[in-house]
Amino acid sequence: MTSTLPRVATTLPPGPKLPPIVQTLLFANFRHRLLPLLRRRYGDLFTVRLYPNRQAVQLANLEHIKTVFAGPVTTFHAGEGNVILKPIMGEHSVLLTDEDVHLRARKLLMPAFHGAALRGYRDMITELAEQEVSHWPAGQVFRSHERMQALTLEIILRVVFGVAEGPRLDELRRLLTGLVDIGVLDLFGLHNEKLRKIGPWKRSKLLQDRVDELVYAEIAERRTAADLAERGDVLSRLLTVSAEEDRLTDAELRDQLITLLLAGHETTATSLAWAFHELSRDPVRLGAALKAADEGDEKYLEAVAKEAMRLHPVISEVARKLTEDVEIGGYRLPAGATVMPSIVLVHSDAAHHDAPDAFRPERFLTDGGPASGTWFPFGGGVRRCLGAGFSLLEATIVLRAVLSRYRLAPDRARPEGSRPRHITMVPARGSRIAVTPR
């Protein structure tokens, strides 16, 4: 429903009255605590005002969220909703574009993450996972999040470039780790030309410039590869498209590759770290997961990954910018506002998930799993993450590689909290665990 409807309200839903810069700081650093508090105060529909001039309407009602995910892409712009990522991902990124431009990019990228290509990654992921866990320090406490970041980055490098050796990719691997580690305030600051010339924003900009040099050099070299047509990696696939209208410029290639490299490893790494965090503190679920690893029960292992994503959403919300007025929940939201279906609020709602604070992978194995629309870590609608299947396959294989070899234990009884890292929420202490050979 769009602007042809009669006007129901002339204002945005209620929300805190604090200055936008204060709301931005609170949202950036404490959104996992802030959003539940605001929901209790204002209900399922409330507005947060973010720097520099963003009216972000949070949605926690499933019908309201369905309106967004099922609505026309011409009205609900996901690319504009993700504008905070533009300084890093680039204007051509599949995450930052809309309508026909987005469909073109998605069509080109989708074959690398579906069907036969997805099945073809299994051996590579298994090999890299087993190499990684083979040298974990038995009996010593370590940050599993760091190890998962290293592993999933290695995997996505193979998917994107086909190889992961050589001085250029060695440097790229190191720099990407630094690029991922920026804070959400760094992202906001990168939108400001003046801030990009000073302090941490200048350092982030210089880091990004060097990453770009390496990626462009890899593109230039690959264009002249004699075996380009025989390669199955994403870069080679994108360089061998036959239709003239689908051929990408170097700038377009850069943006898609950076998007895959960053988005394609960080979220899965964090979900796996949370899975280890929960399993190490739950002997019953750990026992079930160990048995599943021994028996090759990938359905249970996938359920472990899904439950980690439900209990600890890596991304707290999905964003869509309105191109025209839209009625939602009795409010006529104005064009230019951003609507944000809240993953964290829906995932933690007892109305949708029994005992929502408990880690229960089996909820995904009984009665068809959670009701439709109550679990959406990969977003929803036509903009659902095209790497969702790859992420779950990767997580399942990695869980089996770890649990076939080790038992897990926490470094202390008290659970870890969350902390923000750019747009994601990660284990505050890195998901510290110890492993014992089985």
Side-chain angles (χ1 to χ4, degrees), residues 357-416:
D357 294 334
F359 182 74
R360 294 181 178 177
E362 56 271 18
R363 73 174 81 237
F364 285 89
L365 301 173
T366 57
D367 300 324
S372 176
T374 64
W375 183 81
F376 55 104
F378 299 106
V382 297
R383 294 293 295 248
R384 187 174 186 266
C385 175
L386 59 83
F390 178 82
S391 176
L392 288 172
L393 174 68
E394 182 180 21
T396 300
I397 293 172
V398 172
L399 282 169
R400 186 176 184 185
V402 171
L403 297 171
S404 295
R405 186 182 290 258
Y406 300 113
R407 296 188 67 87
L408 312 179
D411 72 321
R412 64 181 188 183
R414 182 157 55 94
E416 292 185 26

Side-chain angles (χ1 to χ4, degrees), residues 82 92-97 101-115 117-118 121 156 159-160 234 237-238 256-257 259-261 263-264 267-268 320 377-393:
N82 294 329
H92 307 292
S93 166
V94 69
L95 295 179
L96 274 294
T97 50
V101 178
H102 168 77
L103 286 175
R104 170 177 172 256
R106 191 178 180 94
K107 182 182 75 171
L108 293 173
L109 293 170
M110 191 174 292
F113 295 97
H114 287 265
L118 195 61
Y121 297 138
I156 200 63
V159 171
V160 170
V234 174
R237 287 171 183 265
L238 294 178
Q256 305 308 346
L257 298 180
T259 297
L260 294 176
L261 289 171
T267 53
T268 307
R320 302 284 190 271
F378 299 106
V382 297
R383 294 293 295 248
R384 187 174 186 266
C385 175
L386 59 83
F390 178 82
S391 176
L392 288 172
L393 174 68

Side-chain angles (χ1 to χ4, degrees), residues 149 175-183 261-262 265-266 421-422:
Q149 286 177 294
L175 294 179
L176 285 172
T177 300
L179 198 59
V180 165
D181 207 26
I182 66 174
L261 289 171
L262 296 182
H265 88 279
E266 174 68 7
R421 190 163 93 159
H422 47 80

Side-chain angles (χ1 to χ4, degrees), residues 118-149:
L118 195 61
R119 293 188 292 273
Y121 297 138
R122 176 177 287 273
D123 289 345
M124 178 268 291
I125 297 172
T126 301
E127 178 185 353
L128 290 177
E130 290 179 349
Q131 287 177 5
E132 162 62 34
V133 303
S134 67
H135 58 260
W136 278 11
Q140 298 180 31
V141 173
F142 64 98
R143 291 180 174 86
S144 65
H145 189 212
E146 289 182 0
R147 299 317 315 153
M148 288 300 98
Q149 286 177 294

Side-chain angles (χ1 to χ4, degrees), residues 215-263:
V215 171
Y216 281 125
E218 193 69 25
I219 292 170
E221 184 177 291
R222 187 65 59 85
R223 282 190 185 278
T224 62
D227 61 344
L228 185 61
E230 285 74 52
R231 291 173 177 258
D233 57 88
V234 174
L235 175 55
S236 297
R237 287 171 183 265
L238 294 178
L239 287 173
T240 54
V241 295
S242 56
E244 185 175 349
E245 65 273 16
D246 286 339
R247 291 174 191 159
L248 300 178
T249 65
D250 282 3
E252 290 174 317
L253 284 166
R254 176 268 173 209
D255 291 355
Q256 305 308 346
L257 298 180
I258 290 294
T259 297
L260 294 176
L261 289 171
L262 296 182

